[in-house]
Amino acid sequence: MRDMKAKLEKLRVDAAECDLISKLATDYGKRELFARLSRRLLDMAADVEAAIAAQATEGESSEL
């Protein structure tokens, strides 16, 4: 579980960095590329977060 949380945090940090690069880029193509990368990384982070929540729910139900 700790490993998944670490991966989640890395995805969020990488998304924030891509978003910043997108905002600072002067080339339109690069701006769009990094904006798409940021959105994709945030989508992946949401998927990992859902998997963590599902795993936590399974752990709670097995304890009952």
Side-chain angles (χ1 to χ4, degrees):
M1 179 76 89
R2 229 181 313 172
D3 184 48
M4 287 180 72
K5 288 182 179 179
K7 298 287 185 188
L8 175 62
E9 183 60 27
K10 178 160 179 20
L11 286 169
R12 287 181 175 158
V13 167
D14 289 348
E17 288 177 355
C18 285
D19 186 54
L20 179 62
I21 291 169
S22 171
K23 290 176 182 173
L24 296 175
T26 56
D27 180 79
Y28 177 78
K30 288 182 182 179
R31 189 176 327 135
E32 288 300 309
L33 170 68
F34 281 98
R36 279 195 316 271
L37 284 172
S38 176
R39 287 190 302 271
R40 182 73 170 124
L41 288 167
L42 287 174
D43 288 344
M44 291 168 51
D47 291 343
V48 171
E49 193 170 28
I52 290 170
Q55 213 173 41
T57 302
E58 285 177 13
E60 289 174 4
S61 64
S62 67
E63 290 177 359
L64 298 176

